[in-house]
């Protein structure tokens, strides 16, 4: 784009373009920072020189450790952020997030079964594949339970029921586990982490996440109309069952893949839309991309914080840090809703 073309744009369009450029620069800067921070004491300049020169140690650190972790941070954060915004718009509930409809717990159950049965040790991709299968099954059960009654309350209740069932089955598997090492792996995986991820997880998870994000993006017009009420949306030609299926499919695809490669990471899908909602004047269509951006930023910051807090060979789990930050935000949100309704 030339300077004359930029000058000819309307003022609002110019400001929107500038904001997206700034947002992209912030995301790029955090990605570069993430690539330079790790447990190996190596300066960014030394790392860059070693990668360009083809030195074995810097190249392996960059390509096998830091790049996959950074890419997954962005993809997983974007998936959690956009799916949280889409579900809040679909359910018209400010407290909605991917775990509400059993997406997260379904993926966790599939992964836990893979760890318990030893499939995760037999095949490198068994763990994420089992997590995706668990998500698909959980979402299918939610749809079957809610298909006869199309109201939002039934969908939420079905999601809560499936989520509770998955949590109970996870507890049952852990209770039956007699292998202390398998039990430890299950506990650590459920805490959420992006450490030791490789390009195999990137190749498996990122395409599914991108597909889910595209499905969620296709729902933007329907969510925008639904914000005016179900009757208004119906008169505008929006078919609510198809919109519900589109949002659930996109959430299952993106969040299922994200949880399968990163473990359970909470609160990002809840916090990101609420942080960005004032900047888009609560427009559900505009909220989707900015929530994806905010989710990626939040997870990058959290993962950088995890690496900076590394102490004596023990890494703080990413899901633990996001919960420590997200829980106070969740409580403040509830108190704010209570004050506004009083």
């Amino acid at each position: 784009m030339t300077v004359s073309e930029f000058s000819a744009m309307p003022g609002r369009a110019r400001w929107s373009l500038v904001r997206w450029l700034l947002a992209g620069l912030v995301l790029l800067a955090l990605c570069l920072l993430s690539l330079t921070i790790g447990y190996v004491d190596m300066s960014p300049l030394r790392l860059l020189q070693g990668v360009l020169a083809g030195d074995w140690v810097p190249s392996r650190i960059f390509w096998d450790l830091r790049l996959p972790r950074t890419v997954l941070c962005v993809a997983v954060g974007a998936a959690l952020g956009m799916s949280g915004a889409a579900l809040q718009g679909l359910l018209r509930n400010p407290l909605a997030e991917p775990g509400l409809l059993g997406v997260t717990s379904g993926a966790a159950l599939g992964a836990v079964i893979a760890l318990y049965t030893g499939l995760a040790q037999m095949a490198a991709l068994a763990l994420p594949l089992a997590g995706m299968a668990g998500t698909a099954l959980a979402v299918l059960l939610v749809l079957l339970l809610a298909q006869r009654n199309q109201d939002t309350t039934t969908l939420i209740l079905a999601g809560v029921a499936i989520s509770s069932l998955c949590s109970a089955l996870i507890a049952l598997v852990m209770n039956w586990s007699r292998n202390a090492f398998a039990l430890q792996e299950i506990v650590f995986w459920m805490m959420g982490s992006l450490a030791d991820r490789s390009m195999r997880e990137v190749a498996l998870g990122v395409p599914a996440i991108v597909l889910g994000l595209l499905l969620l993006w296709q729902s933007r017009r329907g969510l925008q109309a639904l914000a005016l009420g179900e009757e208004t949306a119906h008169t505008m030609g929006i078919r609510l069952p198809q919109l519900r299926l589109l949002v659930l499919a996109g959430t299952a695809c993106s969040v299922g893949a994200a949880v399968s490669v990163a473990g359970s990471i909470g609160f990002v899908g809840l916090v990101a839309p609420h942080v960005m909602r004032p900047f888009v004047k609560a427009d559900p269509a505009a909220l989707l991309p900015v929530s994806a951006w905010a989710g990626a930023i939040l997870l990058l910051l959290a993962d950088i914080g995890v690496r900076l807090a590394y102490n004596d060979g023990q890494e703080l789990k990413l899901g633990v840090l996001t919960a420590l930050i997200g829980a106070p935000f969740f409580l403040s949100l509830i108190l704010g809703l209570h004050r506004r309704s009083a």
Side-chain angles (χ1 to χ4, degrees):
M1 177 181 290
T2 63
V3 177
S4 58
E5 290 174 339
F6 180 78
S7 301
M9 295 174 63
R12 181 175 295 182
R14 285 202 305 269
W15 175 233
S16 178
L17 179 60
V18 169
R19 283 189 298 181
W20 276 111
L21 288 174
L22 291 175
L25 290 174
V26 171
L27 182 60
L28 178 61
L30 282 177
C31 288
L32 293 176
L33 180 61
S34 175
L35 291 172
T36 59
I37 294 178
Y39 307 133
V40 179
D41 187 13
M42 182 178 295
S43 68
L45 182 59
R46 171 73 183 91
L47 177 66
L48 178 61
Q49 290 175 343
V51 171
L52 293 177
D55 292 347
W56 191 85
V57 173
S59 297
R60 296 285 66 78
I61 290 174
F62 181 83
W63 294 109
D64 295 344
L65 297 176
R66 296 186 184 178
L67 183 61
R69 187 165 186 163
T70 301
V71 171
L72 287 175
C73 256
V74 174
V76 171
L80 295 174
M82 184 180 281
S83 61
L87 287 175
Q88 289 174 16
L90 176 68
L91 303 177
R92 284 173 292 170
N93 186 335
L95 303 181
E97 54 97 22
L100 184 64
L101 297 182
V103 176
T104 303
S105 56
L109 176 60
V112 165
I113 291 175
L115 290 169
Y116 174 75
T117 57
L119 290 174
Q121 285 72 39
M122 295 172 59
L125 297 180
L127 183 62
L129 287 175
M132 291 182 186
T135 297
L137 181 60
V139 172
L140 179 61
L141 290 175
V142 170
L143 289 174
L144 290 175
L145 288 173
Q147 66 177 351
R148 296 194 178 189
N149 194 334
Q150 298 296 327
D151 66 350
T152 300
T153 303
T154 304
L155 184 64
I156 294 176
L157 291 176
V160 171
I162 295 302
S163 181
S164 300
L165 176 62
C166 291
S167 298
L169 291 175
I170 290 172
L172 182 63
V173 171
M174 294 175 66
N175 184 73
W176 280 349
S177 178
R178 299 184 180 277
N179 188 329
F181 295 102
L183 184 60
Q184 185 181 45
E185 284 189 35
I186 291 172
V187 173
F188 282 169
W189 185 89
M190 292 183 64
M191 291 181 182
S193 176
L194 287 170
D196 302 324
R197 300 306 189 265
S198 67
M199 282 298 177
R200 289 179 302 188
E201 284 80 9
V202 173
L204 179 68
V206 171
I209 290 174
V210 171
L211 176 60
L213 294 179
L214 290 176
L215 291 174
L216 292 174
W217 177 245
Q218 292 299 317
S219 69
R220 65 191 185 281
R221 303 297 183 192
L223 295 175
Q224 199 170 36
L226 187 60
L228 304 175
E230 290 189 6
E231 294 183 0
T232 304
H234 183 72
T235 59
M236 295 174 65
I238 302 300
R239 303 181 66 179
L240 296 182
Q242 282 75 6
L243 176 62
R244 176 185 296 180
L245 181 61
L246 186 62
V247 172
L248 287 180
T251 301
C253 195
S254 58
V255 177
V259 175
S260 298
V261 298
S264 300
I265 298 176
F267 290 100
V268 175
L270 176 69
V271 173
H274 281 284
V275 170
M276 302 309 298
R277 187 169 280 113
F279 297 99
V280 296
K281 300 180 180 178
D283 180 3
L287 186 61
L288 293 178
V290 297
S291 295
W293 175 84
I297 294 292
L298 289 173
L299 206 59
L300 275 170
L301 288 173
D303 193 57
I304 290 172
V306 162
R307 281 177 272 175
L308 292 176
Y310 184 80
N311 184 31
D312 293 334
Q314 185 66 35
E315 176 181 289
L316 178 65
K317 296 301 180 182
L318 185 58
V320 175
L321 182 59
T322 57
L324 289 173
I325 297 173
F329 180 89
F330 185 70
L331 292 175
S332 66
L333 178 62
I334 294 175
L335 292 175
L337 292 173
H338 178 72
R339 284 195 297 267
R340 285 195 292 270
S341 62

